[in-house]
Amino acid sequence: MAEAHQAVGFQFTVRPDGVDLKLSQEVIKNIYLSGVTAWKKRAIQFKNGVLAGVYPASPSSWLIVVIAMMSSLYIRIDPSLGMIEAIKENLPHREYLSVQTRAVLSAILFATGLWLFFIYLLRYTLKALLSNHGWIFESHGKMSTSTRVWLSLVKMFSGRRPLLYSFQASLPRLPVPSVDDTIQRYLESVRPLLNSDQYNQMEMLANDFKDSKAARLQRYLILKSWWGTNYVSDWWEEYIYLRGRGPIMVNSNFYIMDLLYMTPTHRQAARAGNVVHAMLQYRRKLERGEHAPLRALGTVPMCSTQMERIFNTTRIPGIETDIVQHLTDRKHLVVYHKGRFFQVWLYTGGRHLLPCELETQFQRILNDTSEPQPGELKLAALTAGNRVPWARARIKYFGQGGNKVSLDTIESAAFFLTLDDERQGYDPANTKSLDSYAKSLLHGKCYNRWFDKSFTLISYPNGKMGVNAEHSWADAPIVGHMWEYVLATDCFHLGYTEEGHCKGDVNKGLPHPSRLQWKIPKECQEVIETSYLSAKQIADDVDFHGLLFHEFGKGLIKKCRSSPDAFIQLALQLAQFRDQGLFCLTYESSMTRMFRDGRTETVRSCTSEAVAFVRAMEDAGATNAQRLALFRKAADKHQNMYRLAMTGSGIDRHLFCLYIVSKYLGIDSPFLKKVLSEPWKLSTSQTPQQQLNLVDINKFPKYVGAGGGFGPVADDGYGVSYIIVGENLITFHISSKFSSPDTDSFRFGQHICNAMLDIQALFKTENEKKTVEHATHVHLENGKKHI
């Protein structure tokens, strides 16, 4: 019972002459250090809040303005044009305020007002500059003079050393596109998918909507765009994510894998110790706003709002809608291992636990042989099943007593950690290793991840790691940036001993992790079992295939003067047609984080130009020159659509918000109903890599991640996530459902490989032709010289 004594802060006994109080000196010391750390954190947060609040100016600039105004009092030059004197005359007369004091106070007040005016002038000037998106439509590798001037102005008004949230007030609002433009682009996007009769009917619905109802709905959206910071994001979070009553496991949550080729240590507890410590370092910098904001071209800032909720965030189930609960700085972690839940404190003596101390704690959990309490083993299956049974069970069985305390411990934890008992990871000798790894991260056993947490960190016995993330609070790049930081810190800063343990001296005097206590009645256990069976049916139906495409990467694609994303998207269209024999509505996610509180927009990748290219590829009578010309036309079209989506001129978020307004107003629109009910049979997304540039993968080619993926969106469709890794590797994560007789993830992967190679062959043929023409020209020139 040594750990029990370690946990006791003080002891007391009651005597006839009073209370004999015995304080623990060690605990008092820890309490003192914790208090000092807390006050230091508050001071740093306050300082950084001030710095971000006055950005792009600085607090020291206020002093400069004040000194300048004060100097004017002595040189008898009034730069305020009489305003300082007017302020002095309007100050209340007090006996203790001399004439000189009133003059100084007036100068300080004027200087402060002038300083604030310049802050807002700089801020709105920067916002006006950032509202210009002409640079994004320029050809890759080329930059006009006007864009160079614009970039110089943005750099000049951006200030020096911005903090994470410095640019938030300067980011422009997401614009509301015109109804005419949105409908025109929508009709253009569905034209290749509909026959003439279907298209004419859709055109009639669209024109009727535009002429009758659209103007009224649009006015409400414009009003919202003026009033709110973003006219889409809050409704997107609520109606697309939080109001969904189906399971979020597979259907919403996504995953991210570990390093593909490297495992820094094969000791499970040690790897988890380093990774958790790296996450705590990331969280500390995040809370202080010390991360550098992500910037396109190294200059154009992206919105950082989503990063606020990475840690201490949980999706709370409700009967009609869920809510996202975000708390500030909780000092513990909840760990799941073999059906038991443990609470692990992350701080001691006012500091983070060291990696070796975390390793000790996790090893203690791995060594614990206690059995799960009744109902505890599959408890987390409640978060994997339908939301309404979980919400009702939470109210009925977890609303009071010990169950409430334990549930609060989970929901308030920094994040959730699962110490798995099955080895996973990429194995070149096992062709299905990536498939198994992906399914483990996506759904596991359906009861060994807490799917409601912002993310669940998963640790495997062979040292591999991974992340399962809930989707409502943020998009994949946010988790990806954090994960990139963690892996780089783990491998290149923290490191391991020769035996594979965390570095540092082991502190065995730490209190042991404590078990969460549950009293789960039979009725609740039945609800848990029902949720588990429902979730297991979904998990068993997921057909996953991980594909590593080594033949070439973005290096060769760029030599072909093509966008890597457009190249892959056209390959996916070709693979889809070869797999299904028809074209389908295709979803590609793009970000809108150049705007305040921006999240995503849809790029409709199946265009008329893409269809023409695919048909030419399948037409034996078409020449390679014709195919290549159609490819370039389709790639340019895709790039333009992607740019429109990024700059606020997309189609789907605008139509989605018009539909929400129509539901609020009770207006029936057959056009909007039709648009919002269309299935995305091919859903795609690119996971960004090396956004933070923390690891030089040319120097360390083995330290590359495998990216991540998501479940299928349609019952008879595919979900495809792809990651362009370095110059010579592209990773595909392909999902579908076994229950669909029309889909097969492995088969689709083969079609993708063949499509990529067939498109590359077009450029190879073109290059060979150019080489022959060049050689012939040189031969003729040499012949002329010889003659």
Side-chain angles (χ1 to χ4, degrees), residues 469-762:
E470 201 276 317
H471 209 330
S472 65
W473 63 275
D475 301 309
I478 303 302
V479 185
H481 297 160
M482 180 268 291
W483 193 234
E484 185 178 335
Y485 174 94
V486 167
L487 293 181
T489 303
D490 170 32
C491 297
F492 293 96
H493 297 282
L494 299 177
Y496 300 88
T497 65
E498 292 182 0
E499 295 78 20
H501 292 287
C502 295
K503 293 179 179 178
D505 297 327
V506 177
N507 180 4
K508 296 184 178 180
L510 289 171
H512 282 232
S514 56
R515 283 283 301 273
L516 299 188
Q517 299 301 311
W518 309 95
K519 291 184 179 179
I520 303 174
K522 288 288 186 183
E523 297 82 1
C524 183
Q525 292 181 36
E526 291 174 1
V527 177
I528 293 171
E529 186 64 21
T530 300
S531 293
Y532 165 69
L533 293 175
S534 171
K536 189 174 186 300
Q537 186 176 6
I538 294 171
D540 290 344
D541 196 26
V542 175
D543 176 14
F544 232 103
H545 178 55
L547 169 64
L548 301 181
F549 186 81
H550 291 101
E551 280 71 12
F552 57 86
K554 70 176 180 181
L556 181 61
I557 295 174
K558 286 183 176 180
K559 288 180 181 178
C560 299
R561 293 178 292 113
S562 173
S563 156
D565 184 69
F567 188 103
I568 294 171
Q569 283 291 329
L570 289 171
L572 290 175
Q573 290 300 316
L574 181 55
Q576 163 71 20
F577 186 78
R578 288 173 173 175
D579 188 80
Q580 299 291 312
L582 49 83
F583 298 98
C584 69
L585 196 62
T586 304
Y587 182 110
E588 181 188 2
S589 178
S590 79
M591 66 89 182
T592 56
R593 288 174 60 205
M594 289 190 295
F595 301 97
R596 182 78 179 267
D597 294 343
R599 290 200 60 163
T600 61
E601 178 58 274
T602 304
V603 180
R604 293 175 167 240
S605 302
C606 186
T607 61
S608 296
E609 290 80 0
V611 168
F613 162 70
V614 170
R615 293 197 184 281
M617 289 294 290
E618 298 300 278
D619 180 5
T623 65
N624 281 346
Q626 292 172 329
R627 292 167 178 163
L628 191 57
L630 290 171
F631 172 86
R632 294 199 181 282
K633 187 176 180 182
D636 289 343
K637 175 67 175 181
H638 180 269
Q639 278 296 94
N640 187 59
M641 290 182 62
Y642 200 97
R643 290 161 176 164
L644 287 171
M646 288 181 64
T647 53
S649 297
I651 301 168
D652 290 275
R653 300 301 178 268
H654 186 203
L655 293 175
F656 161 76
C657 288
L658 289 171
Y659 178 74
I660 297 299
V661 175
S662 74
K663 299 299 287 184
Y664 274 124
L665 299 178
I667 296 175
D668 182 64
S669 171
F671 170 70
L672 292 177
K673 280 184 180 178
K674 181 74 173 174
V675 171
L676 271 294
S677 64
E678 293 171 334
W680 301 97
K681 290 195 175 183
L682 180 57
S683 181
T684 70
S685 178
Q686 179 185 171
T687 303
Q689 285 274 328
Q690 295 300 109
Q691 293 294 292
L692 305 183
N693 295 316
L694 298 176
V695 179
D696 184 352
I697 59 176
N698 293 320
K699 187 176 180 181
F700 302 100
K702 296 293 184 182
Y703 288 87
V704 295
F710 52 89
V713 174
D715 291 338
D716 56 349
Y718 291 105
V720 181
S721 172
Y722 53 95
I723 303 89
I724 302 171
V725 186
E727 299 294 312
N728 301 300
L729 174 65
I730 303 172
T731 304
F732 292 90
H733 300 250
I734 307 162
S735 64
S736 62
K737 293 188 176 183
F738 286 117
S739 57
S740 171
D742 299 325
T743 58
D744 183 300
S745 294
F746 178 80
R747 183 185 71 207
F748 194 69
Q750 298 307 302
H751 284 310
I752 291 174
C753 282
N754 293 332
M756 296 279 288
L757 293 171
D758 288 348
I759 295 174
Q760 191 266 337
L762 299 179

Side-chain angles (χ1 to χ4, degrees), residues 15 25 636 638 787:
R15 294 180 176 178
Q25 188 174 4
D636 289 343
H638 180 269
I787 293 172

Side-chain angles (χ1 to χ4, degrees), residues 18 45 96 109 117 180 250 267 462 468 535 566 568-569 720 732 742 758:
Q45 289 175 338
Y96 53 82
L109 290 173
F117 169 76
D180 288 349
V250 174
R267 295 184 183 274
N462 57 343
N468 178 287
I568 294 171
Q569 283 291 329
V720 181
F732 292 90
D742 299 325
D758 288 348

Side-chain angles (χ1 to χ4, degrees), residues 54-115:
V54 302
Y55 201 82
S58 64
S60 60
S61 63
W62 173 80
L63 188 60
I64 294 172
V65 177
V66 168
I67 292 172
M69 292 300 107
M70 296 283 288
S71 301
S72 69
L73 297 176
Y74 299 98
I75 61 176
R76 299 186 181 279
I77 297 176
D78 186 8
S80 71
L81 302 177
M83 292 185 68
I84 292 178
E85 188 65 28
I87 294 172
K88 184 173 73 172
E89 292 298 325
N90 286 280
L91 283 175
H93 292 274
R94 296 289 186 270
E95 294 181 359
Y96 53 82
L97 287 178
S98 64
V99 174
Q100 186 176 7
T101 303
R102 290 163 62 83
V104 169
L105 185 58
S106 300
I108 292 174
L109 290 173
F110 175 77
T112 302
L114 184 65
W115 179 66

Side-chain angles (χ1 to χ4, degrees), residues 108 132 173 275 281 296 308 337 356 369 380 510 538 602 662 708 771:
I108 292 174
N132 169 48
R173 296 171 187 266
V275 168
Q281 289 183 335
E308 295 174 356
H337 176 58
C356 58
T369 58
L510 289 171
I538 294 171
T602 304
S662 74
T771 301

Side-chain angles (χ1 to χ4, degrees), residues 47-269:
K47 181 195 76 171
N48 290 339
V50 171
L51 291 174
V54 302
Y55 201 82
S58 64
S60 60
S61 63
W62 173 80
L63 188 60
I64 294 172
V65 177
V66 168
I67 292 172
M69 292 300 107
M70 296 283 288
S71 301
S72 69
L73 297 176
Y74 299 98
I75 61 176
R76 299 186 181 279
I77 297 176
D78 186 8
S80 71
L81 302 177
M83 292 185 68
I84 292 178
E85 188 65 28
I87 294 172
K88 184 173 73 172
E89 292 298 325
N90 286 280
L91 283 175
H93 292 274
R94 296 289 186 270
E95 294 181 359
Y96 53 82
L97 287 178
S98 64
V99 174
Q100 186 176 7
T101 303
R102 290 163 62 83
V104 169
L105 185 58
S106 300
I108 292 174
L109 290 173
F110 175 77
T112 302
L114 184 65
W115 179 66
L116 291 174
F117 169 76
F118 277 120
I119 287 174
Y120 280 96
L121 180 63
L122 288 171
R123 189 172 288 174
Y124 280 98
T125 302
L126 182 57
K127 181 180 286 190
L129 288 169
L130 294 176
S131 298
N132 169 48
H133 299 114
W135 61 274
I136 205 171
F137 290 94
E138 293 187 344
S139 300
H140 184 71
K142 298 179 180 179
M143 189 177 292
S144 64
T145 303
S146 60
T147 297
R148 293 181 190 278
V149 172
W150 172 80
L151 272 177
S152 299
L153 289 172
V154 171
K155 288 179 181 178
M156 184 174 69
F157 283 99
S158 292
R160 297 175 59 196
R161 298 180 182 177
L163 297 171
L164 180 61
Y165 302 114
S166 293
F167 290 111
Q168 291 300 103
S170 301
L171 291 174
R173 296 171 187 266
L174 182 68
V176 182
S178 73
V179 172
D180 288 349
D181 287 347
T182 296
I183 289 179
Q184 177 190 343
R185 291 187 186 119
Y186 170 77
L187 291 174
E188 184 183 339
S189 73
V190 297
R191 187 65 188 95
L193 305 174
L194 305 175
N195 59 38
S196 296
D197 290 340
Q198 291 171 331
Y199 180 77
N200 290 335
Q201 183 183 6
M202 181 58 75
E203 192 174 33
M204 288 177 57
L205 288 175
N207 290 331
D208 178 66
F209 169 73
K210 182 170 63 174
D211 296 337
S212 60
K213 305 178 179 71
R216 183 184 176 191
L217 303 181
Q218 179 79 345
R219 283 195 294 270
Y220 282 99
L221 280 192
I222 292 173
L223 178 63
K224 188 187 179 193
S225 73
W226 290 345
W227 179 254
T229 55
N230 191 294
Y231 82 94
V232 175
S233 294
D234 57 340
W235 284 352
W236 185 255
E237 180 177 307
E238 180 179 357
Y239 292 103
I240 296 301
Y241 294 114
L242 298 180
R243 290 216 176 192
R245 301 295 80 200
I248 61 175
M249 183 200 77
V250 174
N251 297 324
S252 178
N253 286 31
F254 58 92
Y255 68 86
I256 301 180
M257 288 182 171
D258 196 359
L259 296 173
L260 187 60
Y261 304 115
M262 287 291 300
T263 306
T265 178
H266 293 284
R267 295 184 183 274
Q268 183 175 16

